[in-house]
Amino acid sequence: NTHTKMIKSLKIELLDENIENTSSATHVIAGDKDHSLRRTPKLMICLCVTPFILHLDWLIHSYEQKTILQPAPDYLLLHDTLAENRYRFDMLLTIKEGMDRRMEGGLLAGWSIFFCDGVAGNNAPKTKDLHCIVSAAGGTILTYEDLPLSYDVDKIHVLVITSDPPTKEQNCNVEAVDLAKQGAGMFTTTWLFDCMIHQKLFGIKRGLGSMFLSTLGGGEDGVAATTHGGRKKEKRNIANGVNKVKQQMENTAHDEMEEPAITEERASPPPPPLPTVIHTSDSHSSGKISSGNAYK
């Protein structure tokens, strides 16, 4: 299709449909003027690994100018009102939080995640996709085969994930309930996906850090009904942090795209790696970004 031809003409690597390759993406085309961002498994993975969540215009303009443009702030997918209202997030804040989390090893660094039976496919991605999301966020997967946990496993930093709403079988599963009591508790897939789209853990302590609370989940997820510092403070932080985050983005783009220096003491280094691009939808036929499988 048209966009694939553009990508190939720029000698950019287009990742295939295998979700296991998604975590190697450097640039993400997540929407355009006709297609709003969707919370697909690929998008949740990409938010964990790169700040370059881009509008399709970046690719089109790169093609028109016959060069790979730096992913400047103007190309970030920052004003997708439909998606931001649907998922109750702010992309600029998500990008900033994601950059901070990656410096700490990832959103789920230090955490072990246990999915109850019946979660995969119940208003949630399949098992492989769920595991890829956790891995991209720096977390560790626990399964029933790992139970009972060995003495060297940090039982406190375990998150038990149920469906939303939890099934009767999940609530009554002795192993899962016992694991949740030893760990941080039971949380739903909706809570997990909210955390991914915000790049922030809600309602629990991240490592030894401070508590982050949210209005997003409601009582069933064990999430408090007020935000840390308040929603007003968060709005002020958005306004005050725009220029700072954009400057960080410009610096990051410059560092990644800048040609290496050549010195007389050594041979010329190889050119910097080309971007690795992925569409966050499950397909992009007819040159358009399709919605793919999105999760509320």
Side-chain angles (χ1 to χ4, degrees), residues 13-25 41-42 45-46 126 128-129 132 276-279 281-284:
E13 180 183 359
L14 177 63
L15 295 177
D16 59 29
E17 295 300 314
N18 188 346
I19 196 168
E20 294 176 338
N21 296 330
T22 303
S23 59
S24 62
K42 288 182 179 179
I45 290 172
C46 289
K126 54 189 177 183
K128 182 174 74 171
D129 294 4
C132 286
T276 303
V277 174
I278 188 168
H279 287 277
S281 58
D282 289 338
S283 63
H284 40 277

Side-chain angles (χ1 to χ4, degrees), residues 234-254:
E234 183 173 285
K235 289 294 185 182
R236 288 198 301 270
N237 288 340
I238 294 174
N240 295 335
V242 168
N243 291 334
K244 181 178 179 181
V245 174
K246 286 188 175 182
Q247 184 62 53
Q248 286 180 306
M249 294 296 300
E250 289 172 351
N251 292 340
T252 302
H254 183 271

